[in-house]
Amino acid sequence: MPPRATRWPSKCANLNPQDPLALARTRCTLSHYQKPALTEERRFRGALDDVIIIPLVFVALAFNKILRFVLSILMRLLDYAFPLAMLLVRLPLFAVRVFGNLIVAIANGALRLLPLSETKRQQWSISIRRSWSWLRRKISYRAFEHAVYVAFENGMAWVFRKCRHLTPNAALLVILGAVLWFPISFAAATAMHMVLFAKLTSWPAWTQLLHPLATVLAKSKLLVLPVYPAAWPQAKRHPFVQFLFKSYRTISCLYVIKKVGFRYRQAEIARTAAVGKLENITGLASVVRWLRQAQVIQGVERPTQKLRSFFSRWSIQFSSEYYEAKDRQASGPVDRRGVE
């Protein structure tokens, strides 16, 4: 029986199989045919350090799942809070429009009582309706959202223009200040609310009007969100940030860190398999499948899609490329006129 032909890698096709030196120089060994999973499993074999690594991996896995569960709950709360917030914005605007319609109707009725000619009365009526129609378009929900959008965009553009010319030291200080403002604003607003409630009977009644001020102080941390993407391009040039990047790359290449990552992936695969087997044994697999189908059919995910579409319209505002392109668009005609 003739010997079976040996299959060589493509980069070793021109080499002589009988020349061991050539094979050694090109590293054409049998390890090229081993699967990556088997190679990692042989590389990260069980050892004494697994006594510490495995508990840490399970703690990290549990923390990751708990964090994902909390985020999913927050996302669901946002699902129901988003339509409620939109309703709260629409209701005052709707009330103003109804009140305006009532005033226009009263004004038209009052014109009939005034000693005016029919032509003059019609001119006044048309003028009032035309003015109210123009004002009604301005107080609509779409006009309100557009005004907020323009104001937000102008504020973001100002932040990006200022942070673009910062030095790395100043940009890093700006980011650190924005990070520190989160606990400071929360603590200050909470303390202000508590003091106002504690002094409810002893202080004058008008001091309770400071609660909205405390709420604005608490929500002011949202105003510093544009600082991070705006100052980061300059802050990452700081030597300390570069040192952190190099340290991260060095630490991620350590054998222990790679082994922890491999054990974490193994634990994730084992958890998924265990959950699947538990669902099959207890008969919950069909119930979970039915709940997912019912969730899609009943349209429970629609608020999430609305929320994502809302954020998709505003997420572009957090990129420096967007404002740089707008500045180039604005300065383009001026440059062309200057050249001409």
Side-chain angles (χ1 to χ4, degrees):
M1 189 176 196
R4 186 170 58 182
T6 304
R7 298 182 61 186
W8 298 92
S10 58
K11 68 177 184 177
C12 304
N14 298 327
L15 297 177
N16 185 6
Q18 305 299 329
D19 188 0
L21 294 178
L23 294 176
R25 279 195 299 269
T26 55
R27 300 178 183 271
C28 294
T29 60
L30 292 178
S31 61
H32 289 89
Y33 300 99
Q34 295 176 353
K35 295 181 179 180
L38 295 177
T39 305
E40 284 190 344
E41 190 171 355
R42 292 179 181 178
R43 182 182 177 187
F44 302 117
R45 291 180 177 178
L48 187 61
D49 55 359
D50 285 329
V51 178
I52 301 176
I53 291 176
I54 292 177
L56 289 178
V57 165
F58 279 107
V59 171
L61 185 63
F63 178 78
N64 185 17
K65 297 305 174 185
I66 292 173
L67 182 61
R68 286 176 177 270
F69 177 72
V70 172
L71 290 177
S72 65
I73 292 178
L74 292 177
M75 191 66 182
R76 184 58 61 191
L77 291 176
L78 285 175
D79 287 342
Y80 294 101
F82 178 70
L84 180 61
M86 293 298 101
L87 183 62
L88 293 177
V89 172
R90 289 175 186 270
L91 284 177
L93 296 175
F94 178 75
V96 170
R97 296 176 71 176
V98 171
F99 184 69
N101 292 334
L102 182 62
I103 291 178
V104 170
I106 294 174
N108 288 329
L111 287 176
R112 298 176 182 177
L113 302 177
L114 295 177
L116 297 173
S117 63
E118 187 66 23
T119 304
K120 199 69 174 177
R121 187 179 294 111
Q122 289 182 358
Q123 289 178 355
W124 277 91
S125 178
I126 292 173
S127 178
I128 291 173
R129 291 178 181 177
R130 188 176 299 169
S131 300
W132 169 239
S133 178
W134 176 84
L135 184 61
R136 185 175 178 176
R137 288 194 299 269
K138 296 298 181 181
I139 62 176
S140 64
Y141 173 76
R142 291 184 178 179
F144 170 78
E145 186 181 7
H146 180 70
V148 173
Y149 183 87
V150 171
F152 183 79
E153 186 179 34
N154 292 335
M156 288 285 294
W158 181 85
V159 171
F160 274 93
R161 288 194 202 99
K162 292 297 182 181
C163 293
R164 189 188 308 163
H165 303 291
L166 293 176
T167 61
N169 290 333
L172 188 61
L173 289 177
V174 167
I175 291 179
L176 291 177
V179 171
L180 292 176
W181 182 247
F182 274 81
I184 290 174
S185 61
F186 177 78
T190 304
M192 195 170 179
H193 282 302
M194 292 177 64
V195 170
L196 290 174
F197 280 123
K199 302 294 183 178
L200 181 62
T201 56
S202 58
W203 283 7
W206 65 266
T207 57
Q208 298 302 314
L209 297 176
L210 296 176
H211 281 290
L213 180 62
T215 304
V216 172
L217 181 63
K219 301 303 180 184
S220 64
K221 54 180 172 291
L222 300 177
L223 300 177
V224 302
L225 288 178
V227 170
Y228 300 101
W232 178 244
Q234 297 295 329
K236 67 181 180 182
R237 299 178 182 177
H238 196 275
F240 178 72
V241 179
Q242 293 293 326
F243 171 74
L244 291 179
F245 285 156
K246 292 179 181 178
S247 301
Y248 172 76
R249 288 192 291 267
T250 303
I251 293 174
S252 63
C253 292
L254 295 177
Y255 173 80
V256 176
I257 302 301
K258 290 183 177 180
K259 188 172 184 180
V260 169
F262 178 69
R263 290 287 184 260
Y264 184 87
R265 292 190 293 273
Q266 282 184 325
E268 181 70 24
I269 294 172
R271 185 201 67 84
T272 304
V275 170
K277 288 183 178 179
L278 182 62
E279 290 179 354
N280 292 329
I281 292 174
T282 57
L284 295 176
S286 57
V287 177
V288 172
R289 207 177 303 115
W290 177 80
L291 288 175
R292 288 174 181 172
Q293 292 176 356
Q295 188 180 27
V296 173
I297 293 173
Q298 294 177 3
V300 180
E301 296 299 328
R302 287 180 182 176
T304 303
Q305 294 175 1
K306 290 182 180 179
L307 187 64
R308 289 175 179 173
S309 64
F310 175 78
F311 281 119
S312 66
R313 296 198 304 269
W314 292 70
S315 60
I316 193 173
Q317 312 298 327
F318 290 95
S319 63
S320 58
E321 293 80 7
Y322 175 77
Y323 296 100
E324 290 174 0
K326 285 198 67 174
D327 290 341
R328 285 194 298 269
Q329 266 183 347
S331 61
V334 178
D335 293 339
R336 284 196 295 270
R337 287 196 298 268
V339 171
E340 292 174 359

